[in-house]
Amino acid sequence: MYENERYAITPPAARQTNATRRGLLALTPLAAMAAAKPGATLGQVQHDRELIAACGEIIALEHYMWKALTARYSENQDDELDAAQAPFAARQNHLIKQICAAKAYTMDGCRAKARALAAWAPDLVADDADLGKREFLNDRMVASILRDLVAGDLS
């Protein structure tokens, strides 16, 4: 296993990070509260920061598994690719279960969930033109809402 692969599956709490003054200041409660919706508690904001980080990790794992790892294997090496992806898929499944159980308290938390879902299951947010007409209107509505959230144009 390459070092960058080990980093990708190591939980963020166990990683060694280089803290900068600017990074530490960005994590202060005042900065967090200023970025939150009115009425959000510090605990809710901290919860969403953790949720957003987990969603970002899912997106990074998805990209790594399907871009970087697939580039190393030829089309006839499916078993080897599956074996290489297994630890990343296990970490991703663990994160997805955590995210599904977590409530988003801010719009940023909700957007992060939508972006993680779009990365993990892109067909759910694909435009009707990309997939042909969706048969059921509820599927079209879900895809439309997710596209709006992923675009991030909402306030």
Side-chain angles (χ1 to χ4, degrees):
M1 182 178 292
Y2 293 101
E3 185 61 32
N4 61 341
E5 292 171 340
R6 189 176 326 281
Y7 179 82
I9 62 172
T10 303
R15 293 183 191 151
Q16 295 288 330
T17 59
N18 294 329
T20 63
R21 183 169 184 233
R22 182 175 298 188
L24 291 173
L25 288 174
L27 296 175
T28 61
L30 291 176
M33 290 304 290
K37 68 176 184 175
T41 67
L42 183 57
Q44 291 171 334
V45 171
Q46 181 58 32
H47 170 80
D48 271 14
R49 291 176 86 78
E50 293 167 5
L51 174 67
I52 292 166
C55 291
E57 190 174 348
I58 284 177
I59 294 167
L61 286 168
E62 189 69 17
H63 178 77
Y64 185 76
M65 286 183 351
W66 294 106
K67 301 285 191 258
L69 281 181
T70 54
R72 294 185 193 166
Y73 299 92
S74 64
E75 289 181 20
N76 59 353
Q77 292 180 305
D78 286 340
D79 292 338
E80 292 88 347
L81 177 59
D82 288 344
Q85 289 177 331
F88 304 105
R91 174 73 180 146
Q92 193 176 47
N93 287 340
H94 173 74
L95 289 168
I96 289 170
K97 288 175 186 175
Q98 283 182 328
I99 289 167
C100 288
K103 176 179 176 22
Y105 291 99
T106 65
M107 186 54 110
D108 288 339
C110 191
R111 278 191 197 108
K113 280 184 159 186
R115 287 181 179 133
L117 178 60
W120 186 64
D123 58 316
L124 291 178
V125 295
D127 195 349
D128 290 336
D130 295 336
L131 295 177
K133 285 288 185 193
R134 293 176 195 258
E135 184 176 353
F136 300 106
L137 290 176
N138 60 328
D139 293 337
R140 294 174 72 184
M141 182 62 83
V142 168
S144 174
I145 291 167
L146 287 173
R147 282 193 303 271
D148 290 346
L149 285 169
V150 168
D153 296 335
L154 308 172
S155 53

